[in-house]
């Protein structure tokens, strides 16, 4: 097969013809043996095809989100045997990729090779650390993604509901496997910090309320399509209730009791990843994995301190601009407590988010030559997770699955949701932040599906944070409080560099990290506490935002300085986003090449202008 240049739908058709169930070891070996051996270009494309199919069929939840067919009746197999098998298969793919003759590849496939090799190598390096032994945190795990996956499944016909029922019936196995991994982690001293687990039993019990009709696990059955006959609807609901009462209730209740009785009491009291077995090397790996840089934790800590100092100066300037009489601490307390900055109803909060999103959409053509076709919506974070969830997040859409992108906003605890943060947050999560970048990547017909679904944190979140600075160009931040809110969000990500490395590398306490955050931000204590606990269970992840933003800003400044009057912001953004998400090291190489091409064009145009004969 030549370099794949098909639409995502065509690719799905190709892979669906290979398998409509799981890729077992026999399937993998057969596909691996069938890889082309003569033509290096065809072999690379075939490796990408196999890697893509392997991801979709090894992790059925991802397949659901991406709209890949044949996997909606399954969950990932997290038995020891299956996990060992996946590791071995990944090593085989890495070996095959490493042995490719890169020099024989056509230029347009060099990037494909770089990404495939770097991804596989990073994944194999991670096998040395027992990440799998802490499969649940208060931020992630089956209690989070199971309801989301079920609610993302197609449900237009009876056959769709049969797949939901099949998935529900297999869910107890996933719960049991997850609990077994937690038990093993407990025995090996590998757990999330105990302090972060306090809300976990409540999250799990929220999935099985007294009234099954209120369970997030059964929400698909609340309102069914009219195309399904009433008698069939009744039958499907009854079967769902039977599975719920006989299988799901006991499984989830056992897990909640296990967490309360054994897991939380036995969990690690130390907060730092570096306190775990081989923790310093583990944290260094997480830093590299999330930032796609070679920066050390100490270097990142210093970058964070410098950014905090810089942004603090900008914030002090805004305080003076408002005419407020008082210091930084008094001003942030004023922002946290004055009723004028807060909504009194969840509905009003959501309405204002939607209004901001609509205002932004009309300004985007001035900054981007290419905009995505996929729509997006604004919804509240589900009630079962809102209490310990962050301020907002984005869930990608899928044309194949018939699902729009969603900007989820947290409407819990309204006194912790200030109006002055809403514009920056909308820019980050929706347009031109996550929705624009991810939807554009999904719509790139000339790159492999494997690349279209890539979500390198430093790029994706770095772009989201960089997008916040575009708010000025979009007509936002017109009052000093919203401008201060934008700086608060920039400060938030700078503080992350300091506190994440501080806690996991330099011995900071949780209380010290909370205090540092509060001293340098206007965010409410509830938000700050949620954030700090997030950094504790996702070591290194929060570093990606600011480092990604700084790299994108550096690339833009270099382009502006080099091209001067020939710099076109629309062309820059299109080039930056045109290959999908990329690791920062590869992004820099790509944008350097783009800049060289722009310089050549500029020189050619200038030469033509000089040589053009005068006219009268």
């Amino acid at each position: 097969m030549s370099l794949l240049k098909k639409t995502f739908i065509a690719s799905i058709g190709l892979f669906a013809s290979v398998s409509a169930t799981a890729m077992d070891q026999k399937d993998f070996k057969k596909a691996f043996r069938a890889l082309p051996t003569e033509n290096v270009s065809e072999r690379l494309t075939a490796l990408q095809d196999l890697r893509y199919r392997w991801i979709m069929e090894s992790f059925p939840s991802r397949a659901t989100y991406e709209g890949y067919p044949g996997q909606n009746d399954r969950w990932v197999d997290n038995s020891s045997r299956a996990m060992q098998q996946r590791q071995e298969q990944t090593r085989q793919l890495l070996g095959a990729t490493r042995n490719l003759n890169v020099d024989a590849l056509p230029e347009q496939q060099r990037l494909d090779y770089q990404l495939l090799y770097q991804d596989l190598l990073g994944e194999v390096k991670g096998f040395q650390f027992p990440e799998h032994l802490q499969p649940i945190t208060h931020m992630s795990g089956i209690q989070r993604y199971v309801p989301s996956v079920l609610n993302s499944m197609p449900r237009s016909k009876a056959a769709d509901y049969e797949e939901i029922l099949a998935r529900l019936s297999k869910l107890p196995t996933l719960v049991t496997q997850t609990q077994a991994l937690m038990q093993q982690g407990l025995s090996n001293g590998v757990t999330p910090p105990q302090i972060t687990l306090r809300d976990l039993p409540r999250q799990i019990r929220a999935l099985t309320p007294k009234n099954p009709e209120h369970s997030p696990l059964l929400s698909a059955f609340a309102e069914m399509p009219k195309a399904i006959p009433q008698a069939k609807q009744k039958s499907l609901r009854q079967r769902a209730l039977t599975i719920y009462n006989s299988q799901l209730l006991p499984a989830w209740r056992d897990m909640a009791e296990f967490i309360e009785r054994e897991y939380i009491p036995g969990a690690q009291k130390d907060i730092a990843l570096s306190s775990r077995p081989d923790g310093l090397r583990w944290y260094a790996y997480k830093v590299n994995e999330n930032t796609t840089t070679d920066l050390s934790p100490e270097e990142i800590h210093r970058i964070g301190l410098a950014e905090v100092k810089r942004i603090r100066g900008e914030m002090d300037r805004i305080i003076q601009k408002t005419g407020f009489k008082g210091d930084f601490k008094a001003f942030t307390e004023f922002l946290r407590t004055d009723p004028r900055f807060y909504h009194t109803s969840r509905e009003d909060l959501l309405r204002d988010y939607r209004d901001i999103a609509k205002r932004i959409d009309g300004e985007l053509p001035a900054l981007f030559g290419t905009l995505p076709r996929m729509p997006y919506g604004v919804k509240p974070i589900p009630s079962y997770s809102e209490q310990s969830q962050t301020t907002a997040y984005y869930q990608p859409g899928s044309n194949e699955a018939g699902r729009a992108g969603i900007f989820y906003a947290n409407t819990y605890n309204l006194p912790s949701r200030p109006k002055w943060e809403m514009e920056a947050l909308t820019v980050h999560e929706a347009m031109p932040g996550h929705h624009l970048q991810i939807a554009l990547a999904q719509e790139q017909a000339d790159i492999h599906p494997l690349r279209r679904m890539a979500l390198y944190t430093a790029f994706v979140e770095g772009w989201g944070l960089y997008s916040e600075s575009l708010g000025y160009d979009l007509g936002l931040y017109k009052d000093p409080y919203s401008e201060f809110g934008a700086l608060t969000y920039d400060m938030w990500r700078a503080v992350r560099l300091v506190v994440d490395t501080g806690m996991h590398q330099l011995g900071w306490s949780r209380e010290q990290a909370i205090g540092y955050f509060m001293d340098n931000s206007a965010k409410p204590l509830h938000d700050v506490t949620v954030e700090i606990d997030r950094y504790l269970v996702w070591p290194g992840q929060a570093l990606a935002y600011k480092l990604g933003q700084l790299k994108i800003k550096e690339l833009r400044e270099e382009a502006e300085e080099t091209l001067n009057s020939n710099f076109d912001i629309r062309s820059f953004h299109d080039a930056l986003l045109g290959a999908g998400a990329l690791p920062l090291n590869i992004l820099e190489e790509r944008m350097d090449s783009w800049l060289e091409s722009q310089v050549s064009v500029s020189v050619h145009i200038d030469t033509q202008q000089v040589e053009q004969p005068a006219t009268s």
Side-chain angles (χ1 to χ4, degrees):
M1 183 187 297
S2 60
L3 180 63
L4 189 65
K5 290 189 176 180
K6 300 181 174 71
T7 63
F8 190 58
I9 295 174
S11 298
I12 285 175
L14 167 68
F15 298 122
S17 67
V18 177
S19 173
T21 55
M23 174 179 277
D24 60 20
Q25 182 70 344
K26 183 178 179 181
D27 290 334
F28 180 85
K29 287 181 177 179
K30 181 180 179 181
F32 194 82
R33 285 194 300 266
L35 291 170
T37 57
E38 300 298 325
N39 187 303
V40 66
S41 176
E42 292 181 359
R43 186 170 176 83
L44 174 57
T45 300
L47 278 167
Q48 289 178 289
D49 290 348
L50 180 55
R51 170 69 169 169
Y52 178 77
R53 179 187 164 198
W54 180 89
I55 292 172
M56 294 295 101
E57 296 178 18
S58 296
F59 303 98
S61 297
R62 187 71 186 271
T64 296
Y65 286 126
E66 298 293 336
Y68 182 96
Q71 308 303 311
N72 283 346
D73 61 345
R74 303 174 46 245
W75 301 104
V76 64
D77 183 354
N78 276 337
S79 64
S80 296
R81 178 179 173 276
M83 288 190 293
Q84 290 171 2
Q85 182 173 287
R86 288 198 293 269
Q87 287 192 9
E88 180 54 36
Q89 291 167 345
T90 304
R91 290 189 178 96
Q92 287 180 262
L93 289 170
L94 173 61
T97 305
R98 177 184 281 138
N99 291 329
L100 283 173
N101 181 5
V102 184
D103 295 334
L105 284 172
E107 184 63 32
Q108 67 267 29
Q109 279 190 289
R110 298 290 177 90
L111 180 56
D112 287 337
Y113 172 80
Q114 280 182 290
L115 293 171
L116 182 62
Y117 178 72
Q118 186 166 309
D119 290 352
L120 289 167
L121 180 62
E123 193 169 330
V124 169
K125 284 181 178 179
F127 292 158
Q128 63 188 303
F129 304 111
E131 189 97 34
H132 62 291
L133 295 186
Q134 43 185 33
I136 279 186
T137 72
H138 73 289
M139 292 293 300
S140 60
I142 59 174
Q143 85 285 7
R144 292 285 199 185
Y145 77 75
V146 162
S148 177
V149 171
L150 291 170
N151 290 322
S152 298
M153 292 176 64
R155 42 190 181 191
S156 61
K157 55 186 183 297
D160 295 333
Y161 281 86
E162 292 293 346
E163 289 187 327
I164 295 173
L165 289 170
R167 229 173 198 166
L168 287 173
S169 68
K170 295 170 185 175
L171 184 52
T173 299
L174 180 63
V175 175
T176 301
Q177 289 177 343
T178 302
Q179 189 167 320
L181 290 172
M182 295 169 72
Q183 184 68 66
Q184 188 179 349
L186 200 59
S187 301
N188 294 1
V190 179
T191 71
Q194 187 183 70
I195 187 65
T196 67
L197 298 172
R198 59 192 181 279
D199 191 45
L200 194 53
R202 187 199 64 80
Q203 289 181 7
I204 292 171
R205 287 199 166 92
L207 300 178
T208 54
K210 290 183 179 179
N211 186 346
E213 293 180 2
H214 296 161
S215 171
L217 303 174
L218 300 185
S219 60
F221 296 88
E223 187 174 345
M224 301 172 72
K226 294 180 180 178
I228 302 176
Q230 287 295 320
K232 183 64 174 178
Q233 288 189 29
K234 183 178 180 181
S235 171
L236 291 168
R237 284 195 185 95
Q238 187 56 53
R239 287 164 62 194
L241 283 172
T242 299
I243 294 170
Y244 180 87
N245 289 318
S246 63
Q247 299 180 53
L248 301 184
L249 273 177
W252 287 108
R253 284 175 177 171
D254 284 351
M255 172 170 274
E257 291 172 6
F258 160 74
I259 289 172
E260 287 178 327
R261 185 177 63 252
E262 299 181 45
Y263 199 63
I264 293 178
Q268 294 294 304
K269 293 181 174 60
D270 292 328
I271 62 169
L273 181 60
S274 55
S275 67
R276 306 296 182 266
D278 205 14
L280 283 173
R281 287 182 60 248
W282 193 355
Y283 184 55
Y285 167 77
K286 297 300 292 182
V287 169
N288 175 262
E289 176 191 39
N290 283 288
T291 69
T292 59
T293 72
D294 292 326
L295 292 170
S296 70
E298 290 81 5
E299 289 174 311
I300 293 172
H301 191 82
R302 289 193 291 271
I303 292 171
L305 291 171
E307 278 292 281
V308 167
K309 182 178 180 180
R310 178 188 67 79
I311 299 166
R312 178 65 178 269
E314 291 293 306
M315 296 174 98
D316 289 339
R317 178 182 63 80
I318 297 298
I319 294 173
Q320 291 179 353
K321 185 177 176 180
T322 66
F324 182 82
K325 304 302 180 184
D327 60 10
F328 180 85
K329 185 175 182 180
F331 185 73
T332 56
E333 184 63 18
F334 160 66
L335 291 182
R336 291 185 186 113
T337 57
D338 194 295
R340 82 179 80 168
F341 297 124
Y342 296 89
H343 291 90
T344 56
S345 78
R346 296 182 180 224
E347 293 74 19
D348 287 347
L349 178 64
L350 278 178
R351 186 197 63 242
D352 281 2
Y353 271 125
R354 290 167 179 150
D355 175 68
I356 294 168
K358 199 66 178 175
R359 285 191 281 123
I360 290 171
D361 286 347
E363 304 298 326
L364 294 171
L367 299 178
F368 301 90
T370 304
L371 293 170
R373 299 183 301 275
M374 181 183 294
Y376 71 96
V378 182
K379 294 184 178 181
I381 289 175
S383 59
Y384 60 81
S385 63
E386 62 182 4
Q387 186 171 344
S388 56
Q389 186 56 269
T390 51
T391 312
Y393 60 85
Y394 172 74
Q395 178 178 292
S398 168
N399 281 322
E400 291 68 41
R403 188 182 66 250
I406 302 295
F407 162 28
Y408 282 100
N410 203 328
T411 60
Y412 170 78
N413 189 18
L414 291 176
S416 70
R417 313 294 170 202
K419 296 177 182 179
W420 42 259
E421 74 177 4
M422 294 177 68
E423 290 182 335
L425 190 61
T426 306
V427 169
H428 182 108
E429 300 294 346
M431 294 284 260
H434 289 330
H435 179 71
L436 185 146
Q437 181 267 310
I438 292 173
L440 275 180
Q442 291 173 329
E443 294 170 10
Q444 296 293 324
D446 60 344
I447 63 177
H448 197 280
L450 190 63
R451 285 176 50 192
R452 290 207 287 275
M453 70 174 189
L455 296 173
Y456 301 101
T457 307
F459 183 98
V460 173
E461 296 296 355
W463 172 259
L465 182 52
Y466 165 80
S467 294
E468 293 176 23
S469 68
L470 299 178
Y472 295 96
D473 302 296
L474 296 166
L476 306 178
Y477 315 147
K478 288 191 178 299
D479 72 78
Y481 301 112
S482 290
E483 190 176 2
F484 192 89
L487 287 172
T488 293
Y489 268 57
D490 200 21
M491 176 67 88
W492 172 18
R493 281 44 170 258
V495 165
R496 286 174 167 179
L497 302 185
V498 178
V499 298
D500 194 292
T501 54
M503 291 187 294
H504 291 296
Q505 183 80 15
L506 303 177
W508 282 31
S509 68
R510 178 172 176 269
E511 291 70 27
Q512 184 179 357
I514 291 173
Y516 184 86
F517 205 141
M518 292 292 293
D519 287 344
N520 289 286
S521 169
K523 289 189 74 63
L525 179 60
H526 173 82
D527 274 11
V528 169
T529 302
V530 168
E531 282 294 315
I532 293 299
D533 287 348
R534 164 185 166 167
Y535 312 152
L536 290 179
V537 299
W538 288 351
Q541 190 269 353
L543 305 176
Y545 297 63
K546 172 56 72 168
L547 294 178
Q549 177 220 38
L550 291 175
K551 176 55 67 178
I552 293 172
K553 283 191 168 185
E554 175 191 318
L555 294 171
R556 176 172 169 175
E557 289 167 3
E558 182 182 358
E560 288 175 329
E561 182 178 342
T562 302
L563 298 175
N564 203 346
S565 61
N566 291 317
F567 176 77
D568 179 2
I569 188 62
R570 285 156 50 99
S571 296
F572 173 79
H573 286 154
D574 288 355
L576 192 82
L577 300 174
L582 299 172
L584 295 186
N585 60 324
I586 294 177
L587 174 68
E588 186 166 16
E589 294 175 13
R590 173 178 168 81
M591 294 307 292
D592 285 347
S593 297
W594 171 82
L595 184 54
E596 288 178 10
S597 71
Q598 297 300 298
V599 170
S600 299
V601 171
S602 298
V603 170
H604 179 67
I605 291 173
D606 291 343
T607 302
Q608 281 188 323
Q609 289 173 343
V610 169
E611 295 176 350
Q612 184 74 22
T615 59
S616 59

